[in-house]
Amino acid sequence: MSYFILQILPYLTMVIFTFGLLYRLGRWAGSRIVHNITLSPFPQSNTQALGILGAELIFFRSLFNFDRPLWIGAWLMHIALFSVIGGHVVGIYFLGRQFVYLGMSASLSENMSAVLGTSMGLLMLAGLLYLLIRRFTIAKVKEVTGPSDYLHLVLLLTIVVIGNIMRLWEHDLGISYAPVKDYVTHLVMLQPVPMNHEVLTKPLFVLHLLFVQILLMIFPFSKLMHVFGMFAERWIINRVYKEPAPGLPNVDVAAARAAGAGLPSGDGAA
Amino acid sequence: MPEVNGLKMPAKASEKEMKNIHIDPVPDDQKVEVALQHLDEMRKKFRSFVMAMESCVKCGACAENCHTYLGTKDPNNIPTNRAELIRKIYKRYFTLEGRWFGKLVGAEDLTLDVLEQWYSYFYQCNECRRCAMSCPFGIDTCEVTFVGRQILHWLGMVPKLHANVGAAMEKAGNHTGLPKPSLIDTLEFLSEEIQEEFGVEVNFPVDKPDSDILYIPSSADFLLNPYTLMGAGMFFTYIGANWTIPSTVAEAGNFGLLFDQRFTQRHNVTRLLDASQKLGIKKIVWGECGHGWRAAKMYIPTLADRPVKWPIVHLHDETSYYVNTNQLKLDPGKNNHPTTLHDPCNYGRACGMTKQLRDVLSACVTDFREMTPNQEKNFCCGGGSAILFDDPEMYDLRIKFSAKKAEQVRATGVGANGDGYLCAPCSICKAQLYPMVEEHKLGVEVKGLIDLLGKALVWK
Ligand code: HEM
Ligand code: SF4
Ligand code: SF4
């Protein structure tokens, strides 16, 4: 089973994820922007339009303005999520010594990596719990929530909880960077790891990867597509629009007033 | 009609009324199949619709930003749930997850009952786009309402009000069904009124060849908002403009935007372009009408089937220009009432016109107080997209949809002494607010903006 999850499933996952994504984006690309539905106030240049996109992307500006309580949970969760994803990549690649490049000693860097990883993992857990509780407790949110919305959060929570357990009890239940790097290298090179490789003997690691792969497989068929949807939608509604110049043809107000336009005949100033 | 399966809904147009707008209603036993065909066409065409179907995370941020939900607490009036009425069908027929997992992802078969739900809730949407502004991704539920109403139109399910307006437009060239002689009669009467009240001579040229400016008034101004038309006439006369009103399209509104963005909407555009060419004009100036201004400014470029060589601007793009360049002499003392401004949604969120309104209004009244939120964040009056139905259940909804507006107006205190003004420069806002300020006892009178400018003009 572990062998299947770690050695075979990843390729299946990547195929489903990639083709699913292309299929979904292709569908979007097939439809068109038929009419101009830019939201005003209109950006006056592409730089301004990019500014709107940036503010939404980085700060979740609309949420900040219109639903502050949701913003707190969603923004923290996403920041933690990005950090965690980034942390996985650099941590595994540099074996936790990435901060050496910032001038730290190797052991300090490893500690730093561990502290950051643990805190972001816990922050993400807190964020997800907050979002889940919100779905149960706030009437308006409950009314828009369906079974799949709960399941998404539960799936994410499962992944994050397992990840946190592996971090917090690293020596008993977790795994260190080195064997993981070795495993990923083999995976990318399309080579199987030996049957007695450490990754195959860590049940939590195997479970963690199983749920991550499930997440990636449903990604193209779920609301997780909001990541790309955001760009597609902003491309429609935050576009440059230039106003025509004001001023009416052949109008000279001063002359009209001097001539007494509208005043009863004989009553004019002229 | 007002209730089917416990759903509130406006009376539907009869078969004959549908035929007047070129639709043969689809028999019940074929409706589902035909609706699915149209839905398939629409999803392949409109990306704004596809994005609303495929990228919502169900976060609920849009809920309290929609005044229809605030006023009714009806879960189906939450924007994403309104969209869900189509999304559940979309998922079932056009997505893999919907076909495989069905109910788990909220997919559902299309039935006649669902179509009645569409009819009820897409005609409870004001198409105000506040949801698009508040959504973290910018998902525009108004686009979903457009698609829903378009399909319902093709099935033959349109409110009487909308169908009859569409028919009147085709027959008479305006929504009120006024023939040319009545237009001219009314305008002559308004000239006399201006003479009596303001002591100035204002003529309303109709179909005058070789005019420079084509002014497109809302036809409601002929009957319901005479001061709006009088104000426009006084403004053009004051600045010495060579202007005219076309009898063939004496209509700033375009109900096509609201229920049929194909034939009905394009028909008005064609009339406009014909009149502009025939009268040899140089610039088109739009009157006070929110949805009509959106239809003109944002949709003519994609709906016109020939080159459009005339710039199209709004009356208040021009009034604000002349106010800001100090070319008009205005006496705000003539409008000595506490005044607040309702930003029509179509100006604020779809057409980028908010500053102009303030520039003009603050020059025309003594005591201008902003309501909050304002400009692009403003709430709809509850009449948007002409859901101005008089069936008792629907009228009751109009009161609920305007509850947020009433709260905003009250908070400004302009009506405290019963002599406030609520400036609402849009025909539909006016039609909604005239009765609503009474229902909510706001102590204000509803005014157009050009009405106030007309009164404030100093002629000598
Ligand atoms: C670009 C701007 C983004 C915005 C404005 C945004 C906004 C949101 C919002 C409002 C939620 C709903 C929270 C809830 O469940 O109540 C959410 C959920 C989520 N987002 Fe994002 N998101 C963005 C980008 C991303 C990116 C880049 C990723 C992934 C790499 C991501 C992954 C997730 C995940 C995993 C969830 C949880 C899904 C769930 O609730 O089932 N998001 N996002
Ligand atoms: S367009 Fe306005 S009325 Fe319609 S769902 Fe959005 S916020 Fe509500
Ligand atoms: S705010 Fe946007 S993403 Fe959130 S529920 Fe509403 S439409 Fe969906």
Side-chain angles (χ1 to χ4, degrees):
Chain A
M1 195 62 201
S2 302
Y3 187 80
F4 174 75
I5 292 169
L6 293 188
Q7 298 283 286
I8 299 172
L9 195 58
Y11 299 109
L12 206 61
T13 305
M14 282 329 283
V15 169
I16 295 178
F17 178 77
T18 313
F19 284 93
L21 205 63
L22 288 176
Y23 162 73
R24 206 68 180 253
L25 295 179
R27 274 162 63 119
W28 296 358
S31 53
R32 293 182 296 128
I33 303 177
V34 180
H35 299 295
N36 187 347
I37 61 164
T38 315
L39 262 190
S40 57
F42 303 127
Q44 291 301 303
S45 65
N46 284 327
T47 319
Q48 280 181 18
L50 262 179
I52 297 178
L53 178 69
E56 297 290 351
L57 194 66
I58 300 169
F59 302 112
F60 293 16
R61 188 182 58 177
S62 297
L63 275 192
F64 184 83
N65 286 340
F66 295 103
D67 193 337
R68 197 69 54 85
L70 169 57
W71 178 82
I72 295 172
W75 196 72
L76 287 181
M77 193 283 276
H78 282 82
I79 291 296
L81 174 70
F82 297 138
S83 313
V84 166
I85 295 175
H88 275 71
V89 175
V90 289
I92 293 171
Y93 186 78
F94 294 107
L95 302 177
R97 307 224 173 109
Q98 60 271 25
F99 298 110
V100 169
Y101 297 92
L102 298 180
M104 293 182 193
S105 71
S107 66
L108 185 58
S109 173
E110 280 166 25
N111 283 337
M112 188 76 180
S113 186
V115 169
L116 272 178
T118 311
S119 44
M120 284 304 158
L122 291 175
L123 186 61
M124 185 165 168
L125 178 66
L128 286 170
L129 282 175
Y130 180 93
L131 293 178
L132 186 63
I133 292 169
R134 206 176 146 266
R135 289 203 183 272
F136 283 110
T137 50
I138 302 178
K140 63 170 186 181
V141 191
K142 212 168 170 178
E143 277 158 352
V144 304
T145 303
S148 63
D149 300 306
Y150 292 120
L151 287 178
H152 271 105
L153 282 170
V154 169
L155 177 57
L156 279 163
L157 274 166
T158 313
I159 296 171
V160 172
V161 166
I162 297 177
N164 282 331
I165 293 177
M166 288 200 293
R167 271 230 87 92
L168 292 171
W169 290 278
E170 187 177 338
H171 299 294
D172 316 317
L173 301 168
I175 189 165
S176 52
Y177 288 133
V180 179
K181 182 172 180 180
D182 188 52
Y183 161 67
V184 176
T185 313
H186 276 86
L187 205 58
V188 174
M189 304 303 239
L190 307 181
Q191 282 167 354
V193 289
M195 286 304 277
N196 61 353
H197 196 281
E198 191 181 341
V199 288
L200 289 163
T201 64
K202 297 282 183 179
L204 282 186
F205 180 76
V206 176
L207 264 186
H208 189 64
L209 275 200
L210 173 65
F211 287 118
V212 168
Q213 295 185 72
I214 294 178
L215 185 74
L216 287 177
M217 280 189 275
I218 64 165
F219 190 109
F221 308 98
S222 72
K223 65 178 188 177
L224 294 173
M225 286 299 285
H226 71 278
V227 181
F228 302 95
M230 142 119 204
F231 292 91
E233 185 69 58
R234 297 268 159 215
W235 175 245
I236 304 175
I237 65 161
N238 299 123
R239 317 196 125 216
V240 175
Y241 187 96
K242 294 259 203 274
E243 304 286 344
L248 291 166
N250 298 327
V251 162
D252 182 342
V253 185
R257 294 323 315 142
L263 294 174
S265 347
D267 202 9
Chain B
M1 170 64 67
E3 289 208 16
V4 170
N5 310 332
L7 294 168
K8 296 186 172 132
M9 53 178 69
K12 292 191 186 99
S14 66
E15 184 161 348
K16 181 163 167 299
E17 287 165 321
M18 286 312 297
K19 282 184 190 294
N20 287 342
I21 50 173
H22 312 286
I23 293 292
D24 292 322
V26 176
D28 279 353
D29 59 343
Q30 295 164 30
K31 274 202 171 86
V32 167
E33 192 190 333
V34 174
L36 286 172
Q37 276 168 17
H38 290 313
L39 187 57
D40 197 24
E41 290 159 30
M42 300 300 262
R43 79 171 176 99
K44 287 179 179 145
K45 183 163 180 180
F46 290 92
R47 191 181 300 156
S48 52
F49 173 69
V50 175
M51 298 322 300
M53 293 296 106
E54 301 202 359
S55 55
C56 169
V57 294
K58 303 293 183 65
C59 68
C62 46
E64 289 185 359
N65 286 296
C66 176
H67 59 290
T68 72
Y69 175 64
L70 290 178
T72 58
K73 292 288 166 198
D74 181 339
N76 283 329
N77 275 329
I78 296 177
T80 187
N81 279 357
R82 196 187 309 284
E84 191 71 18
L85 297 175
I86 291 195
R87 202 184 281 121
K88 61 188 182 184
I89 308 304
Y90 178 95
K91 280 195 178 142
R92 161 69 184 80
Y93 295 93
F94 306 116
T95 69
L96 295 175
E97 65 271 25
R99 265 181 251 158
W100 293 339
F101 299 109
K103 278 264 182 294
L104 184 70
V105 296
E108 196 181 308
D109 284 338
L110 183 59
T111 60
L112 286 178
D113 288 344
V114 173
L115 289 174
E116 295 294 345
Q117 259 187 335
W118 288 9
Y119 182 69
S120 174
Y121 287 103
F122 291 128
Y123 281 98
Q124 291 186 47
C125 170
N126 285 120
E127 300 184 343
C128 73
R129 305 187 82 198
R130 209 169 187 280
C131 43
M133 184 187 52
S134 57
C135 171
F137 315 114
I139 293 172
D140 193 345
T141 301
C142 174
E143 293 293 305
V144 180
T145 298
F146 281 157
V147 165
R149 289 189 185 184
Q150 182 75 58
I151 295 174
L152 290 170
H153 167 66
W154 283 326
L155 296 178
M157 298 162 75
V158 174
K160 266 185 193 302
L161 173 69
H162 292 67
N164 291 338
V165 163
M169 185 68 207
E170 199 182 344
K171 191 149 170 272
N174 58 71
H175 290 169
T176 319
L178 294 168
K180 184 169 177 179
S182 320
L183 292 176
I184 291 178
D185 274 355
T186 309
L187 291 172
E188 280 171 357
F189 170 76
L190 293 180
S191 288
E192 287 162 22
E193 288 287 302
I194 293 174
Q195 176 79 51
E196 262 175 45
E197 189 171 342
F198 302 98
V200 286
E201 276 172 7
V202 168
N203 293 312
F204 291 87
V206 175
D207 295 337
K208 186 165 81 62
D210 299 318
S211 300
D212 292 327
I213 297 160
L214 190 71
Y215 178 61
I216 307 293
S218 163
S219 68
D221 296 349
F222 287 83
L223 303 174
L224 297 173
N225 322 309
Y227 279 96
T228 302
L229 206 38
M230 286 156 66
M234 288 196 277
F235 168 68
F236 285 125
T237 306
Y238 186 94
I239 63 171
N242 174 20
W243 68 298
T244 191
I245 294 175
S247 67
T248 50
V249 48
E251 183 55 71
N254 190 339
F255 271 34
L257 176 76
L258 312 177
F259 75 93
D260 174 22
Q261 299 190 347
R262 301 291 173 86
F263 175 80
T264 310
Q265 190 172 357
R266 182 171 278 127
H267 175 78
N268 291 34
V269 176
T270 306
R271 274 179 179 268
L272 177 79
L273 302 183
D274 287 348
S276 305
Q277 189 187 34
K278 184 153 158 258
L279 299 173
I281 57 105
K282 300 197 174 65
K283 197 168 192 179
I284 300 171
V285 176
W286 221 259
E288 292 189 352
C289 173
H291 84 280
W293 179 227
R294 180 177 185 196
K297 176 170 178 151
M298 308 311 282
Y299 285 73
I300 287 181
T302 38
L303 276 176
D305 40 18
R306 58 187 110 143
V308 180
K309 57 179 186 176
W310 310 276
I312 307 177
V313 293
H314 193 277
L315 178 61
H316 294 303
D317 289 327
E318 298 299 339
T319 57
S320 62
Y321 170 72
Y322 288 100
V323 166
N324 290 337
T325 49
N326 291 321
Q327 299 190 56
L328 310 179
K329 212 166 140 193
L330 295 162
D331 175 9
K334 293 191 184 160
N335 294 308
N336 191 9
H337 295 261
T339 305
T340 188
L341 172 66
H342 162 68
D343 284 277
C345 307
N346 282 299
Y347 293 172
R349 280 184 288 276
C351 294
M353 190 165 72
T354 52
K355 180 174 181 300
Q356 293 93 318
L357 305 178
R358 295 167 164 70
D359 290 354
V360 174
L361 186 59
S362 40
C364 295
V365 301
T366 46
D367 177 7
F368 167 43
R369 304 181 200 169
E370 288 277 12
M371 59 175 76
T372 29
N374 55 47
Q375 305 194 52
E376 74 273 7
K377 298 195 177 66
N378 193 28
F379 279 97
C380 173
C381 61
S385 80
I387 51 177
L388 299 165
F389 307 111
D390 285 331
D391 331 43
E393 289 78 3
M394 298 311 289
Y395 186 81
D396 178 56
L397 281 180
R398 283 170 63 189
I399 299 178
K400 292 185 171 136
F401 292 171
S402 57
K404 186 73 199 175
K405 180 66 16 188
E407 188 187 309
Q408 283 180 282
V409 174
R410 254 186 232 113
T412 64
V414 293
N417 298 324
D419 67 342
Y421 280 176
L422 170 57
C423 178
C426 158
S427 270
I428 285 179
C429 299
K430 287 170 196 165
Q432 161 77 347
L433 291 170
Y434 286 144
M436 292 307 135
V437 298
E438 304 299 329
E439 299 290 351
H440 296 291
K441 303 195 174 49
L442 297 180
V444 296
E445 228 181 295
V446 179
K447 299 284 177 191
L449 179 53
I450 193 71
D451 314 28
L452 301 176
L453 182 135
K455 281 187 192 163
L457 282 172
V458 178
W459 293 78
K460 280 201 284 200

